[in-house]
Amino acid sequence: MNVTLDFNDGKSLDESSESFNLVKMATPLFAGVRSSKCLLPLFSVSKNSRIQLSSNYNQLVSNRNRAAYRSWTLIENGVKSYSAKPSWYDGRNGRCLQPQTVRCYSETTEDKTTTTEDGAAAVAADDMPTEKEHNIITDQEKVTGRKEKLEFQAETRMLLDIVAKSLYSENEVFIRELISNASDALEKFRYMQMTRDDLPHGQPLEIHIAVDQEKSTFTIQDTGIGMTKRELVDNMGTIARSGSKAFVQQLKDKDSAEAADSNIIGQFGVGFYSAFMVGGTVEIFTRSQLPDSKAWHWKSDGSGSYELSEADDVQSGTKIVIHLKKDCWKFSIESDVKDIILKHSNFVGAPVFLNGKKINTTQALWSTEPKKVTEDQHVEFFQFLSKNTYDKPRYTLHYRADAPLSIRSLFYIPSRSPLPWEMSQQYDSGIALYSRKILIQPKAEKIIPKWLRFVVGVVDSEDIPLNLSREMLQNSALIRKLQTVITSRFVRYLQDNAKRDPAKYDQFFDEYGVFLREGIVSSQDQIEKEDIAKLLRYESSALPPGQKTNLMEYGDRMKAGERNIYYICAPSRELVEGSPYYEAFKNSDREVLFCYDDYDELALLQLREFDRKLLRSVESEMAGNQGQAENVDETTGSVEGALSESEGDAVITYLKDVLQSKLKDVTVTNRLGSHPAMINVPEMGAARHFMRTALKNRPEAEKVQLLQPTLEINKSHPIVHKLQSLQKDNPELARLLAEQLYDNAMIAAGLVDDPRPMLNRLHSFMEKALEKF
């Protein structure tokens, strides 16, 4: 293996060089230009390959973490490839090296390469597939005429200082603000072209951005309406005067339909001044598209004054040149600027070019008519939003509305199961909030409720109230209304899909049902709770195992006069059907819903009622806490094989003596058949939840004291019979049996979180029981 790195200053670096590991240890990540796939090869090249970088040795060593070189060429044998953009991860230093371009090809002969002006190896154009570049930014502008120095007003200087230092949370948003201004200029020009005949037609409406690391500049230029001298003074010399907002107001005053359909973004008139967050000096070259307009040059350092003069060789539109501050050099790196544009302004209406390459290629599907969007487009857009190229949307909701609010939205539910950390309420929302296709919040917490955090999507609304920086929402009734509208529509969408394809929905519910239960628990509105409850699915005593039903279908099967929906909670159907509470209830010939999830009980407790029917747990019904519910029939009189009244009273007295403070009372029941006893606690479900949360780490005696359980015994059960006889024959064994009877009943009631403390007594009980064998 012989690897050599060549530099422009004539120096070379091979494996014997001391600093070779600076590059050898880095891992190149190739992101293809002609395809969206990402190639992640290890750092390895073919024998006798040479890597040529258009930089010099000292730059690589001293500035290896700042992408100091502009381009490089990889020359190696192999199949002819295509252009790619590399990002080298320096494992030793934990940072990325980001050269600008890479070209790969098979022919390694020297006559296939040429030398550029800066000494970089390049490939002949006819041998290399290249991306067509289109750039209108030049340095041909010239300042002519007398410079006129003007002062900002005193209050304007104060506001300018606030905008530059305090208004925005991140200085990167200046790119968003300038692109928005450029988009507005294009929109104004488009409208004026339709209403006037004396303006140029046919030229493309575009936004171009150029960055230069050597000069440390950021330049943005548009082909929009441009500005006259008066507009330049009014708009640039006065903060908080929005030319875009004034333009929309003019359309409204004319009763123009364009006012409603306008894509104008600007509202506050402060976006331009965000340039001073990163720029020491800001220049503007502009020429209005109006006939016979002169070109002008505007320049300021943001300290309180600006210069205004005529200029020559200025293209129509507006060009802004920002001379970056020393600590803002990253905004002259193409890869960093590209990431910021794709984050904030990827869906702006006009094409955006960065150093000649169009970068906003993803379509804003939410603004497209739903019928015109294909399934493949939805898959691609979902993968773009979720940053997961291996998943597809399970459900897609494309929702548009103009009343009561203007909403353009697109929601996806992933096909995969939720990941463990997504269950946490601290997990971020998957909804990005836009206003007129400009990103406001990448993780909008207030637009949808927390329980819908598994949804991935976009909401775009012109009606949302923004603060001055356009980064935060005003806390208003309008935001709450927006959340209500979106939540209601999404729940209704799931209901429709549950009817259309029950099997597919059942699979979704099995994986994402925990979020729906959380929605019922967290919602403060009963109507919303009941809407979400329509999405719940349960097995039922009236249906065969595996078949699920819902609360609406349960209501349809209820007999005339019944007002209660009954449910019982246990981990499985087997445990439900073996429960003493279900045994005592099933003879009443009423349907019972089987709830297997831990959160089902809490959700139904919070729901309380559904469609004017009360939700009642079977345990609460057994405890006699019925309110206006129906009484459960109970067999009266003597039962065959049961203890006599006196014998039963003796057992009750004995249990009270043995268990003492563990019980509130001991009673006799005739509702049990195969079970010797059961525990009753008022509001059993709430008690279980209270035990698992507030009382989780409390002593067992304190828990029992708060629960005040009642033990109901079955006088006809053999165990109770044996307990009665053991009181005299074997008191020690009788005591162990009484305690085990109580613990078994507590476990059946779900009121014991940790049964391990009873193991020693259980061993003693078995030992005593086996003494005769």
Coordinates of all heavy atoms in Angstrom, one line a residue, residues 16-83:
S16 N 5.0 7.6 5.8 CA 6.2 7.8 6.6 C 6.2 9.2 7.3 O 7.0 9.4 8.2 CB 7.4 7.6 5.8 OG 7.5 8.6 4.8
S17 N 5.3 10.1 6.9 CA 5.3 11.4 7.5 C 4.7 11.4 8.8 O 3.8 10.6 9.1 CB 4.6 12.4 6.6 OG 5.2 12.4 5.3
E18 N 5.2 12.3 9.7 CA 4.8 12.3 11.1 C 3.3 12.7 11.2 O 2.6 12.2 12.1 CB 5.6 13.4 11.8 CG 5.2 13.5 13.3 CD 6.1 14.5 14.0 OE1 7.0 15.1 13.4 OE2 5.9 14.7 15.2
S19 N 2.8 13.6 10.3 CA 1.4 14.1 10.5 C 0.4 13.3 9.5 O -0.7 13.8 9.4 CB 1.4 15.5 10.2 OG 2.2 16.3 11.1
F20 N 0.9 12.2 9.0 CA 0.0 11.5 8.0 C -1.3 11.1 8.7 O -2.4 11.1 8.1 CB 0.7 10.3 7.4 CG -0.1 9.6 6.4 CD1 -0.3 10.1 5.1 CD2 -0.7 8.4 6.7 CE1 -1.0 9.5 4.2 CE2 -1.5 7.7 5.7 CZ -1.6 8.3 4.5
N21 N -1.3 10.7 9.9 CA -2.5 10.2 10.6 C -3.5 11.3 10.8 O -4.7 10.9 11.0 CB -2.1 9.7 12.0 CG -1.5 8.3 12.0 OD1 -1.7 7.6 11.0 ND2 -0.8 7.9 13.0
L22 N -3.2 12.5 10.6 CA -4.2 13.6 10.6 C -5.3 13.3 9.6 O -6.5 13.6 9.8 CB -3.6 14.9 10.4 CG -2.7 15.5 11.5 CD1 -2.1 16.8 11.0 CD2 -3.4 15.6 12.8
V23 N -4.9 12.7 8.5 CA -5.8 12.4 7.4 C -6.2 10.9 7.4 O -7.3 10.6 7.3 CB -5.3 12.8 6.0 CG1 -6.2 12.4 4.9 CG2 -5.0 14.3 6.0
K24 N -5.2 10.1 7.7 CA -5.4 8.7 7.6 C -6.5 8.2 8.6 O -7.2 7.3 8.4 CB -4.1 7.9 7.8 CG -4.3 6.4 7.6 CD -2.9 5.7 7.7 CE -3.1 4.2 7.4 NZ -1.8 3.5 7.6
M25 N -6.5 8.9 9.8 CA -7.4 8.5 10.8 C -8.8 9.0 10.6 O -9.8 8.6 11.3 CB -7.0 9.0 12.2 CG -5.7 8.3 12.7 SD -5.2 8.9 14.3 CE -6.6 8.4 15.3
A26 N -9.0 9.9 9.6 CA -10.3 10.4 9.4 C -11.1 9.5 8.5 O -10.6 8.7 7.7 CB -10.2 11.8 8.6
T27 N -12.4 9.5 8.7 CA -13.4 8.6 7.9 C -14.2 9.5 6.9 O -14.9 10.3 7.4 CB -14.3 7.8 8.8 OG1 -13.5 7.1 9.7 CG2 -15.2 6.9 8.0
P28 N -14.0 9.2 5.6 CA -14.8 10.1 4.7 C -16.3 9.6 4.6 O -16.5 8.4 4.6 CB -14.1 9.9 3.4 CG -13.5 8.5 3.5 CD -13.2 8.3 4.9
L29 N -17.2 10.5 4.6 CA -18.6 10.2 4.5 C -19.1 10.8 3.1 O -19.2 12.1 3.0 CB -19.5 10.8 5.6 CG -18.9 10.4 7.0 CD1 -19.8 11.1 8.1 CD2 -19.0 8.9 7.2
F30 N -19.3 10.1 2.1 CA -19.6 10.6 0.8 C -21.1 10.7 0.6 O -21.8 9.6 0.6 CB -19.0 9.7 -0.3 CG -17.5 9.7 -0.3 CD1 -16.8 8.5 -0.1 CD2 -16.8 10.8 -0.3 CE1 -15.5 8.4 -0.1 CE2 -15.4 10.8 -0.3 CZ -14.7 9.6 -0.2
A31 N -21.6 11.9 0.4 CA -23.1 12.1 0.1 C -23.2 12.4 -1.3 O -22.8 13.4 -1.8 CB -23.7 13.2 1.0
G32 N -23.8 11.5 -2.1 CA -23.8 11.6 -3.5 C -24.6 12.8 -4.0 O -25.7 13.2 -3.4
V33 N -24.2 13.5 -5.1 CA -24.9 14.6 -5.7 C -26.0 14.1 -6.6 O -27.1 14.6 -6.6 CB -23.9 15.5 -6.4 CG1 -24.6 16.6 -7.2 CG2 -22.9 16.2 -5.5
R34 N -25.7 13.1 -7.4 CA -26.6 12.6 -8.4 C -27.6 11.6 -7.8 O -28.6 11.2 -8.4 CB -25.9 12.0 -9.6 CG -25.1 13.0 -10.3 CD -24.3 12.4 -11.4 NE -25.1 11.7 -12.4 CZ -24.6 10.9 -13.4 NH1 -23.3 10.8 -13.5 NH2 -25.4 10.3 -14.2
S35 N -27.4 11.1 -6.6 CA -28.3 10.3 -5.9 C -28.4 10.7 -4.5 O -27.5 11.3 -4.0 CB -27.9 8.8 -6.1 OG -26.9 8.5 -5.2
S36 N -29.4 10.3 -3.8 CA -29.6 10.7 -2.4 C -28.9 9.7 -1.4 O -29.0 9.9 -0.2 CB -31.1 10.8 -2.0 OG -31.7 9.6 -2.2
K37 N -28.3 8.7 -2.0 CA -27.7 7.7 -1.1 C -26.4 8.2 -0.5 O -25.7 9.0 -1.0 CB -27.4 6.4 -1.9 CG -28.7 5.7 -2.4 CD -28.4 4.4 -3.1 CE -29.7 3.7 -3.6 NZ -29.4 2.5 -4.4
C38 N -26.1 7.6 0.7 CA -24.9 8.0 1.4 C -23.9 6.8 1.4 O -24.3 5.7 1.8 CB -25.3 8.5 2.8 SG -23.9 9.2 3.7
L39 N -22.7 7.0 1.0 CA -21.7 6.0 1.0 C -20.7 6.3 2.2 O -20.3 7.4 2.4 CB -20.9 6.0 -0.3 CG -21.7 6.1 -1.6 CD1 -20.8 6.2 -2.8 CD2 -22.6 4.9 -1.7
L40 N -20.5 5.2 3.0 CA -19.6 5.4 4.1 C -18.4 4.4 4.1 O -18.4 3.4 4.8 CB -20.4 5.2 5.4 CG -21.5 6.2 5.8 CD1 -22.8 5.9 5.1 CD2 -21.7 6.2 7.3
P41 N -17.5 4.7 3.2 CA -16.3 3.8 3.1 C -15.3 4.1 4.2 O -15.3 5.2 4.8 CB -15.7 4.2 1.8 CG -16.1 5.6 1.6 CD -17.4 5.8 2.2
L42 N -14.5 3.1 4.6 CA -13.4 3.4 5.5 C -12.3 4.1 4.7 O -12.3 4.2 3.5 CB -12.8 2.1 6.0 CG -13.8 1.2 6.9 CD1 -13.1 -0.1 7.2 CD2 -14.1 2.0 8.1
F43 N -11.3 4.7 5.4 CA -10.3 5.4 4.7 C -9.3 4.4 4.2 O -8.5 3.8 4.8 CB -9.5 6.3 5.7 CG -8.5 7.2 5.0 CD1 -8.9 8.4 4.5 CD2 -7.2 6.8 4.8 CE1 -8.0 9.2 3.8 CE2 -6.3 7.6 4.2 CZ -6.7 8.8 3.7
S44 N -9.5 4.1 2.9 CA -8.6 3.2 2.2 C -8.6 3.5 0.7 O -9.6 3.9 0.2 CB -9.0 1.7 2.4 OG -10.3 1.5 1.9
V45 N -7.4 3.4 0.1 CA -7.3 3.6 -1.3 C -6.5 2.5 -2.0 O -5.8 1.8 -1.3 CB -6.7 5.0 -1.6 CG1 -7.6 6.1 -1.2 CG2 -5.3 5.1 -0.9
S46 N -6.7 2.4 -3.3 CA -6.0 1.3 -4.0 C -4.4 1.6 -4.0 O -4.0 2.7 -3.7 CB -6.5 1.3 -5.4 OG -7.8 1.0 -5.4
K47 N -3.7 0.6 -4.3 CA -2.3 0.7 -4.3 C -1.8 1.7 -5.3 O -2.3 1.8 -6.4 CB -1.7 -0.7 -4.7 CG -0.2 -0.7 -4.6 CD 0.3 -2.1 -4.9 CE 1.8 -2.2 -4.8 NZ 2.4 -3.5 -5.1
N48 N -0.8 2.5 -4.9 CA -0.3 3.6 -5.7 C -1.2 4.7 -6.0 O -1.0 5.5 -6.9 CB 0.3 3.0 -7.0 CG 1.4 2.0 -6.7 OD1 2.2 2.2 -5.8 ND2 1.5 1.0 -7.6
S49 N -2.3 4.8 -5.2 CA -3.3 5.9 -5.4 C -2.7 7.2 -4.9 O -1.8 7.2 -4.0 CB -4.6 5.6 -4.8 OG -5.2 4.5 -5.4
R50 N -3.2 8.3 -5.4 CA -2.7 9.6 -4.9 C -3.9 10.5 -4.6 O -4.9 10.5 -5.4 CB -1.8 10.3 -5.9 CG -0.6 9.5 -6.2 CD 0.2 10.1 -7.4 NE 0.8 11.4 -6.9 CZ 1.9 11.5 -6.2 NH1 2.6 10.4 -5.9 NH2 2.4 12.7 -5.9
I51 N -3.9 11.2 -3.5 CA -5.0 12.1 -3.2 C -4.4 13.5 -3.3 O -3.4 13.8 -2.6 CB -5.5 11.9 -1.8 CG1 -6.1 10.4 -1.6 CG2 -6.6 12.9 -1.4 CD1 -6.5 10.1 -0.3
Q52 N -5.0 14.3 -4.1 CA -4.5 15.7 -4.3 C -5.5 16.7 -3.7 O -6.7 16.6 -4.0 CB -4.3 15.9 -5.8 CG -3.3 15.0 -6.4 CD -3.1 15.3 -7.9 OE1 -3.7 16.1 -8.5 NE2 -2.2 14.5 -8.5
L53 N -5.0 17.6 -2.9 CA -5.8 18.6 -2.2 C -5.4 20.0 -2.6 O -4.2 20.3 -2.7 CB -5.7 18.5 -0.7 CG -6.2 17.1 -0.1 CD1 -5.1 16.2 0.1 CD2 -6.9 17.4 1.3
S54 N -6.4 20.8 -2.9 CA -6.1 22.2 -3.3 C -5.9 23.0 -2.1 O -6.7 23.9 -1.8 CB -7.2 22.7 -4.2 OG -8.4 22.8 -3.5
S55 N -5.0 22.7 -1.3 CA -4.6 23.5 -0.1 C -3.1 23.3 0.0 O -2.4 22.8 -0.8 CB -5.4 23.0 1.1 OG -5.1 23.7 2.2
N56 N -2.6 23.7 1.1 CA -1.2 23.4 1.4 C -1.0 22.7 2.7 O -1.9 22.6 3.5 CB -0.3 24.7 1.3 CG -0.8 25.7 2.4 OD1 -0.9 25.4 3.5 ND2 -1.0 26.9 1.9
Y57 N 0.2 22.1 2.9 CA 0.4 21.3 4.1 C 0.2 22.0 5.4 O -0.5 21.5 6.3 CB 1.9 20.8 4.0 CG 2.3 20.1 5.2 CD1 2.0 18.7 5.4 CD2 3.1 20.7 6.2 CE1 2.4 18.1 6.6 CE2 3.5 20.0 7.3 CZ 3.2 18.7 7.5 OH 3.6 18.1 8.6
N58 N 0.6 23.2 5.5 CA 0.5 24.0 6.8 C -1.0 24.2 7.1 O -1.4 24.2 8.2 CB 1.2 25.3 6.7 CG 2.7 25.1 6.6 OD1 3.2 24.1 7.2 ND2 3.5 26.0 5.9
Q59 N -1.8 24.5 6.1 CA -3.2 24.7 6.3 C -3.9 23.5 6.8 O -4.7 23.5 7.7 CB -3.9 25.2 5.0 CG -3.7 26.6 4.7 CD -4.4 27.0 3.4 OE1 -4.3 26.3 2.4 NE2 -5.1 28.1 3.5
L60 N -3.5 22.3 6.3 CA -4.1 21.1 6.7 C -3.8 20.8 8.2 O -4.6 20.4 8.9 CB -3.7 19.9 5.8 CG -4.3 18.6 6.2 CD1 -5.8 18.6 6.0 CD2 -3.7 17.5 5.3
V61 N -2.6 21.0 8.5 CA -2.1 20.7 9.9 C -2.7 21.7 10.9 O -3.2 21.3 11.9 CB -0.6 20.6 9.9 CG1 -0.1 20.5 11.4 CG2 0.0 19.5 9.1
S62 N -2.6 23.0 10.6 CA -3.0 24.0 11.6 C -4.5 24.2 11.6 O -5.0 24.6 12.6 CB -2.3 25.3 11.3 OG -2.6 25.8 10.0
N63 N -5.2 24.0 10.5 CA -6.6 24.3 10.4 C -7.4 23.1 10.0 O -8.4 23.2 9.3 CB -6.8 25.4 9.3 CG -6.2 26.7 9.7 OD1 -6.2 27.1 10.9 ND2 -5.6 27.4 8.8
R64 N -7.0 22.0 10.4 CA -7.6 20.7 9.9 C -9.1 20.6 10.4 O -9.9 19.9 9.8 CB -6.9 19.5 10.4 CG -6.8 19.4 12.0 CD -5.9 18.2 12.4 NE -5.8 18.1 13.8 CZ -4.9 18.7 14.5 NH1 -4.1 19.6 13.9 NH2 -4.9 18.5 15.8
N65 N -9.5 21.4 11.4 CA -10.9 21.3 11.9 C -11.8 22.4 11.3 O -12.9 22.6 11.8 CB -10.9 21.4 13.4 CG -10.2 20.2 14.0 OD1 -10.4 19.1 13.5 ND2 -9.5 20.4 15.1
R66 N -11.3 23.2 10.4 CA -12.0 24.3 9.9 C -12.3 24.3 8.4 O -12.6 25.3 7.8 CB -11.4 25.7 10.3 CG -11.5 26.0 11.7 CD -10.9 27.4 12.0 NE -11.5 28.4 11.0 CZ -11.1 29.6 10.9 NH1 -10.1 30.1 11.7 NH2 -11.7 30.4 10.1
A67 N -12.1 23.1 7.8 CA -12.3 23.0 6.3 C -11.5 24.0 5.6 O -12.1 24.8 4.8 CB -13.8 23.0 6.0
A68 N -10.2 24.2 5.8 CA -9.5 25.3 5.3 C -9.3 25.1 3.8 O -9.1 26.1 3.0 CB -8.1 25.3 5.9
Y69 N -9.3 23.9 3.3 CA -9.1 23.6 1.8 C -10.5 23.7 1.1 O -11.5 23.5 1.7 CB -8.5 22.3 1.6 CG -9.0 21.2 2.5 CD1 -10.2 20.5 2.2 CD2 -8.3 20.9 3.6 CE1 -10.6 19.5 3.0 CE2 -8.7 19.9 4.5 CZ -9.9 19.2 4.1 OH -10.3 18.2 5.0
R70 N -10.5 24.1 -0.1 CA -11.7 24.4 -0.9 C -12.2 23.2 -1.7 O -13.3 23.1 -1.9 CB -11.5 25.6 -1.8 CG -11.2 26.9 -1.0 CD -11.1 28.1 -1.9 NE -12.4 28.3 -2.6 CZ -12.6 29.2 -3.5 NH1 -11.6 30.0 -3.9 NH2 -13.7 29.3 -4.1
S71 N -11.2 22.4 -2.2 CA -11.7 21.3 -3.0 C -10.5 20.2 -3.0 O -9.4 20.5 -2.7 CB -12.0 21.7 -4.4 OG -10.8 22.2 -5.0
W72 N -10.9 19.0 -3.3 CA -9.8 18.0 -3.4 C -10.3 16.9 -4.4 O -11.5 16.8 -4.7 CB -9.5 17.3 -2.1 CG -10.6 16.7 -1.4 CD1 -11.6 17.3 -0.6 CD2 -10.9 15.3 -1.3 NE1 -12.4 16.4 -0.1 CE2 -12.1 15.1 -0.5 CE3 -10.3 14.2 -1.9 CZ2 -12.6 13.9 -0.2 CZ3 -10.9 12.9 -1.6 CH2 -12.0 12.8 -0.8
T73 N -9.4 16.2 -4.9 CA -9.6 15.2 -5.9 C -9.1 13.8 -5.5 O -7.9 13.8 -5.2 CB -9.0 15.6 -7.3 OG1 -9.6 16.9 -7.6 CG2 -9.4 14.6 -8.4
L74 N -9.9 12.8 -5.6 CA -9.4 11.5 -5.3 C -9.2 10.8 -6.6 O -10.1 10.7 -7.4 CB -10.5 10.7 -4.5 CG -10.2 9.3 -4.2 CD1 -9.0 9.1 -3.3 CD2 -11.4 8.6 -3.5
I75 N -8.0 10.3 -6.8 CA -7.6 9.6 -8.0 C -7.3 8.1 -7.6 O -6.3 7.9 -6.9 CB -6.4 10.2 -8.7 CG1 -6.7 11.7 -8.9 CG2 -6.1 9.6 -10.0 CD1 -5.5 12.5 -9.4
E76 N -8.1 7.2 -8.1 CA -7.8 5.8 -7.8 C -8.4 4.9 -8.9 O -9.3 5.3 -9.6 CB -8.3 5.4 -6.5 CG -9.8 5.4 -6.3 CD -10.3 4.8 -5.0 OE1 -9.7 3.8 -4.6 OE2 -11.1 5.4 -4.3
N77 N -7.9 3.7 -9.0 CA -8.4 2.7 -9.9 C -9.7 2.2 -9.5 O -10.0 2.2 -8.3 CB -7.4 1.5 -10.1 CG -6.1 1.9 -10.7 OD1 -6.1 2.8 -11.6 ND2 -5.0 1.3 -10.2
G78 N -10.5 1.8 -10.4 CA -11.9 1.3 -10.1 C -12.9 1.7 -11.0 O -12.6 2.3 -12.0
V79 N -14.1 1.4 -10.7 CA -15.3 1.8 -11.6 C -15.5 3.3 -11.6 O -15.4 3.9 -10.5 CB -16.5 1.1 -11.1 CG1 -17.7 1.4 -12.0 CG2 -16.3 -0.4 -11.1
K80 N -15.7 3.8 -12.7 CA -16.0 5.3 -12.8 C -17.2 5.7 -12.0 O -18.3 5.1 -12.1 CB -16.2 5.7 -14.3 CG -16.3 7.2 -14.5 CD -16.3 7.4 -16.0 CE -16.3 8.9 -16.3 NZ -16.2 9.2 -17.7
S81 N -17.1 6.7 -11.1 CA -18.1 7.0 -10.2 C -18.6 8.4 -10.6 O -18.4 8.9 -11.7 CB -17.6 7.0 -8.8 OG -18.6 7.3 -7.9
Y82 N -19.3 9.1 -9.6 CA -19.9 10.4 -9.9 C -19.5 11.3 -8.8 O -18.9 10.9 -7.8 CB -21.4 10.3 -9.9 CG -22.0 9.6 -8.7 CD1 -22.2 10.2 -7.5 CD2 -22.4 8.2 -8.8 CE1 -22.7 9.6 -6.4 CE2 -22.9 7.6 -7.7 CZ -23.1 8.2 -6.5 OH -23.6 7.6 -5.4
S83 N -19.8 12.6 -9.0 CA -19.4 13.6 -8.0 C -20.0 13.3 -6.7 O -21.2 12.9 -6.6 CB -19.7 15.0 -8.5 OG -19.0 15.3 -9.7

